[in-house]
Amino acid sequence: MDKEENKEKRPGACEKGQCLKVIARIHNDFPTKFGIPHQSGRIPELKARIVFEPPYRNRDAFRGLEEYSHIWLIWGFSQAVREEWSPMVRPPRLGGNIRKGVFATRSPFRPNAIGLSSVKLENIEFHPTLGPILHVQGADLMDQTPIYDIKPYLLSDAHPDALGGFTEGIKDHELQVVFPRELLEQIPPEKRESLLKVLANDPRPGYQKDPGRKYGLAFGDKDIHFQVEGDTLQVCEVTEFQKQEKNS
């Protein structure tokens, strides 16, 4: 077999033989981008698994990781890869009406579509066939997102006196969620709390505030249909999530 045909397809650029290798992928309840929290840690009830690619399932690579409570994930915006990058972007949290420099934001439209998230390490499972699996909480990644590296979160990483830039002027608020019992019972009991937190966090983009609009949030194998008026989110329907093929 030709060596070129046998090469692993890896997103990202290569320079002088140095390529970003996908070491793992995350598995969670967000099959689409809509509704994912704006930042990691905002909804600690969200749980996910990190499953490693076969070459990186060596137990020795994880020795000592259990001593840390949190880890950094370095990952790829797999749904936002493009040739061009934008020096100015419109952060959704500012309503999409104000431009900021890309390096002053966490926009995915960067020279390199790389994300950084701190998550809580719940435990490490040693699966008989999949090897070490990391169970984490509070991740802001889409299901199947490629992960390039994992590093321990250190106490020195926290800076209580840090300035938050334009995000300091944004008021965080929670919506009141009205989720009829007959609809909520369609959600597995172990996922209800995290789903309610996602909805209360207001999954809509900052520039969409139309009270007459109906939204659909894919969560696990369900599609949650809702409307928002004022500070109240009303769930009106729960259907099976229909995954769309990429080439369709």
Side-chain angles (χ1 to χ4, degrees):
M1 181 181 290
D2 189 281
K3 290 184 178 179
E4 290 299 318
E5 294 180 1
N6 196 34
K7 278 187 177 179
E8 179 187 358
K9 292 183 179 179
R10 304 180 182 123
C14 295
E15 182 177 350
K16 297 181 180 179
Q18 297 296 315
C19 297
L20 285 175
K21 301 177 179 65
V22 176
I23 66 168
R25 292 185 184 274
I26 198 163
H27 297 259
N28 62 20
D29 289 312
F30 289 108
T32 69
K33 295 184 294 183
F34 184 79
I36 296 176
H38 299 304
Q39 306 295 340
S40 59
R42 285 182 63 87
I43 305 180
E45 292 82 2
L46 286 173
K47 297 189 176 185
R49 298 182 306 136
I50 296 175
V51 179
F52 290 81
E53 298 294 298
Y56 310 104
R57 294 176 181 175
N58 189 322
R59 274 177 173 247
D60 289 341
F62 302 85
R63 189 175 299 177
L65 187 61
E66 75 282 354
E67 300 172 13
Y68 297 92
S69 64
H70 293 73
I71 56 176
W72 288 107
L73 304 180
I74 301 172
W75 48 278
F77 287 99
S78 55
Q79 299 297 305
V81 177
R82 54 171 65 177
E83 292 296 326
E84 304 82 16
W85 67 284
S86 303
M88 297 285 285
V89 296
R90 300 175 186 266
R93 296 196 71 192
L94 291 177
N97 300 315
I98 300 175
R99 290 180 178 271
K100 294 287 183 179
V102 66
F103 298 128
T105 75
R106 296 190 175 184
S107 167
F109 305 117
R110 324 181 67 79
N112 292 297
I114 294 175
L116 178 68
S117 300
S118 62
V119 299
K120 182 177 182 180
L121 178 60
E122 189 175 16
N123 69 284
I124 304 176
E125 171 191 357
F126 291 97
H127 192 275
T129 56
L130 298 177
I133 296 176
L134 306 186
H135 292 261
V136 300
Q137 295 178 243
D140 56 341
L141 286 68
M142 194 175 82
D143 184 54
Q144 299 295 324
T145 290
I147 296 175
Y148 300 133
D149 203 0
I150 289 172
K151 298 179 184 292
Y153 181 99
L154 306 179
L155 292 178
S156 59
D157 291 336
H159 302 281
D161 58 343
L163 299 178
F166 67 83
T167 63
E168 289 188 349
I170 301 173
K171 182 181 179 181
D172 288 327
H173 70 282
E174 287 194 353
L175 298 176
Q176 178 182 352
V177 178
V178 179
F179 206 134
R181 176 172 295 187
E182 65 273 14
L183 297 181
L184 185 60
E185 288 177 349
Q186 298 183 43
I187 309 300
E190 69 276 8
K191 296 184 178 183
R192 291 174 188 173
E193 182 180 7
S194 55
L195 172 57
L196 289 171
K197 290 287 186 179
V198 169
L199 293 172
N201 191 52
D202 196 348
R204 299 173 299 168
Y207 51 85
Q208 290 184 1
K209 301 297 182 183
D210 181 3
R213 180 166 182 168
K214 182 182 289 188
Y215 299 87
L217 167 68
F219 192 81
D221 59 356
K222 301 295 184 181
D223 208 343
I224 316 300
H225 303 272
F226 65 89
Q227 289 180 291
V228 179
E229 184 170 358
D231 290 328
T232 301
L233 183 150
Q234 173 76 49
V235 177
C236 46
E237 188 180 17
V238 174
T239 60
E240 296 296 317
F241 173 65
Q242 301 295 325
K243 187 175 182 179
Q244 296 182 350
E245 297 295 332
K246 290 183 178 180
N247 296 327
S248 61

